[in-house]
Amino acid sequence: MRPRHVAPCSDAVTPAATDMQIQFAGLSDVISRFEFLACDFVTSLSKSPQSFIGINYGDVADNLPPPSSTARLIQSTTISKVRLYGTDPAIISAFAGTSISLLLGAANGDIANLASSPAAAAAWVAAHLPASSPAVATVSVGNEVLFADGTLASQLVPAMQNLYDSLPPNSSVKVSTVHAMDVLASSDPPSSGAFKPELAAALDPLLAFLSKTGSPFLINPYPYFAYLSDPRPETLAFCLFQPNAGRPDAGSGLTYMNMFDAMVDAVRAALDAKGYKDVEIVVAETGWPHKGDPDEAGATVENARAFVSGLVSHLRSLAGTPRVPGKSVDTYIFAVYDEDLKPGKASERYFGVFQTSLIETYPTGLLRNGTGGLGPAVAPAQAPTSVQPQPAPTLPTPGQQPQNAAVGAGDSSAARLGGGRGWAFRPLHAGENDGEGSRHRLLSS
């Protein structure tokens, strides 16, 4: 936006020029300058990488482009960080010199060895965090470990401690682990957020470690799975960052306008209740599938576009959450590509915001301003709708308009397990393995 033209004032003020007119002219000039600066700030956000926007790079697929192509693709966006689920040298080296920071994953299967042997932890650090490697910001020791088995959970903090102790002096690398939302016993309303008491033996020392080392609490909130259990139009709008009546939290006096903020603040309340207000939250995964099985009608291109673009806009607004306003939570969107080898329901394979041909699956708002990505643009998706369930649509091809797919009743098993009309937080302990750890589903309370 160009600043409005304000006619310069003459040095010689005519008798008709009152003090009020002079003051108004000055105020108008100030307003014009403010508008210009605000517009310039918003434009700059769409051009440069944002420290709070990341993406998950999964590789449970047999049709992915070379890592070097993916690195170039991500450089054409405003994404500034990438989460990997392992330590593939080819993928890590592809990001060398890109200024994109990495969140690496130590596998669940490595935890026992890392916990029992400081030498093994030192060897892991030497192998995967050499001085010549791309910027690694965080290491996640395992994924959703607290629900794997009791033995592994008890070894988690020792493994994290050994890795941390093996880092070079003055290293800025953080060591943490990723959690499913069902670490919470309560989240309705968000101010009642509390961790499950039965996890205290493993969780309490973990939180103490995060606080001591300045490392973040990594969490995987998925509004999509909340919608599946409560497939009403108003719930869809609440999950997709669309206009809605909001949901008041009587415990805090705050009103929530989207499910993402509600989920994040429920975790914040749980951390605060434990006395860890200093531990930062990072969203390690969140996303929306663009395709699914016939009984996953919420998994559509239209809804995925609305969620991801709405999330990006919300993060860029720097509004924060009602409980922690004014600061966007660091968020890793799930995921770069679809992953065709994942087991489970079809939606598990269709979270990709880019196609393997290096074009957007749908407009996301992630591409740098003035760029078109690395391929032809996909036709704009239509607005999300909420009608009776129909089979999920096929993925649109470039140049074609996506189907106006239906959005309706969600997973039937989800309905059986709690089809209430609350905050849609109660976890389903499905425990399915999607190749990167289970994403525990969130149902109505």
Side-chain angles (χ1 to χ4, degrees):
M1 178 186 298
R2 298 177 61 185
R4 286 199 304 268
H5 176 70
V6 178
C9 297
S10 170
D11 290 338
V13 180
T14 65
T18 66
D19 289 343
M20 182 175 293
Q21 288 174 321
I22 294 173
Q23 292 172 3
F24 178 78
L27 178 61
S28 178
D29 185 58
V30 170
I31 292 173
S32 296
R33 292 175 183 273
F34 175 79
E35 288 179 343
F36 175 78
L37 291 173
C39 181
D40 186 62
F41 172 73
V42 172
T43 301
S44 69
L45 284 180
S46 65
K47 290 181 178 179
S48 59
Q50 280 103 47
S51 62
F52 41 79
I53 297 180
I55 198 162
N56 287 263
Y57 183 0
D59 59 359
V60 188
D62 60 4
N63 60 348
L64 300 183
S68 58
S69 297
T70 300
R72 287 190 296 107
L73 171 64
I74 293 175
Q75 284 183 284
S76 73
T77 73
T78 57
I79 293 166
S80 66
K81 54 188 69 178
V82 171
R83 179 189 174 197
L84 306 179
Y85 291 86
T87 55
D88 186 329
I91 296 178
I92 293 174
S93 63
F95 289 96
T98 63
S99 75
I100 294 171
S101 69
L102 301 180
L103 190 164
L104 301 185
N108 286 11
D110 293 335
I111 292 176
N113 193 33
L114 294 173
S116 63
S117 172
W124 194 98
V125 169
H128 305 303
L129 300 176
S132 59
S133 69
V136 175
T138 308
V139 174
S140 172
V141 181
N143 191 40
E144 301 184 356
V145 174
L146 297 187
F147 293 94
D149 63 67
T151 301
L152 201 60
S154 66
Q155 296 174 320
L156 179 57
V157 172
M160 294 168 66
Q161 187 67 59
N162 282 344
L163 270 183
Y164 182 80
D165 291 342
S166 299
L167 295 173
N170 302 318
S171 172
S172 62
V173 174
K174 307 299 184 183
V175 177
S176 188
T177 188
V178 177
H179 305 280
M181 277 293 289
D182 55 0
V183 294
L184 297 183
S186 173
S187 54
D188 177 13
S191 62
S192 71
F195 293 113
K196 290 182 175 176
E198 61 268 29
L199 297 179
L203 193 57
D204 287 354
L206 191 153
L207 295 177
F209 171 86
L210 298 181
S211 178
K212 180 180 67 176
T213 62
S215 297
F217 187 88
L218 305 176
I219 191 72
N220 293 344
Y222 277 90
Y224 165 69
F225 296 112
Y227 167 70
L228 280 184
S229 68
D230 184 13
R232 296 174 298 159
E234 54 266 41
T235 302
L236 184 65
F238 190 65
C239 290
L240 296 184
F241 300 92
Q242 295 178 328
N244 64 89
R247 299 189 180 187
D249 181 338
S252 65
L254 300 171
T255 297
Y256 286 83
M257 302 307 298
N258 64 78
M259 183 69 79
F260 178 82
D261 283 354
M263 289 179 164
V264 171
D265 274 1
V267 177
R268 181 74 268 161
L271 288 168
D272 291 354
K274 283 281 192 179
Y276 291 104
K277 294 184 178 181
D278 61 318
V279 174
E280 180 185 4
I281 294 172
V282 169
V283 172
E285 288 182 23
T286 191
W288 197 287
H290 60 81
K291 186 177 179 180
D293 288 323
D295 63 347
E296 297 181 295
T300 69
V301 171
E302 295 81 9
N303 290 346
R305 175 194 181 187
F307 177 78
V308 173
S309 62
L311 173 64
V312 170
S313 295
H314 181 55
L315 294 174
R316 283 183 181 154
S317 75
L318 305 181
T321 68
R323 192 179 180 100
V324 187
K327 180 181 183 298
S328 292
V329 61
D330 285 5
T331 300
Y332 291 82
I333 297 168
F334 192 86
V336 180
Y337 302 116
D338 293 340
E339 296 176 81
D340 64 328
L341 298 183
K342 282 191 172 182
K345 297 186 76 67
S347 63
E348 291 286 346
R349 297 181 283 280
Y350 294 104
F351 276 84
V353 298
F354 294 99
Q355 298 182 35
T356 55
S357 56
L358 306 180
I359 63 172
E360 288 186 300
T361 303
Y362 46 80
T364 61
L366 289 169
L367 292 176
R368 291 177 187 265
N369 188 41
T371 68
L374 303 183
V378 175
Q382 297 183 9
T385 56
S386 180
V387 296
Q388 292 301 311
Q390 296 177 11
T394 56
L395 180 67
T397 55
Q400 293 183 338
Q401 187 74 7
Q403 289 179 279
N404 184 17
V407 177
D411 187 293
S412 59
S413 63
R416 289 196 302 272
L417 287 167
R421 298 295 188 239
W423 283 84
F425 282 156
R426 187 171 64 81
L428 164 64
H429 299 286
E432 63 266 37
N433 188 329
D434 63 8
E436 292 156 356
S438 61
R439 278 200 289 277
H440 297 272
R441 311 316 186 211
L442 305 176
L443 306 180
S444 295
S445 53

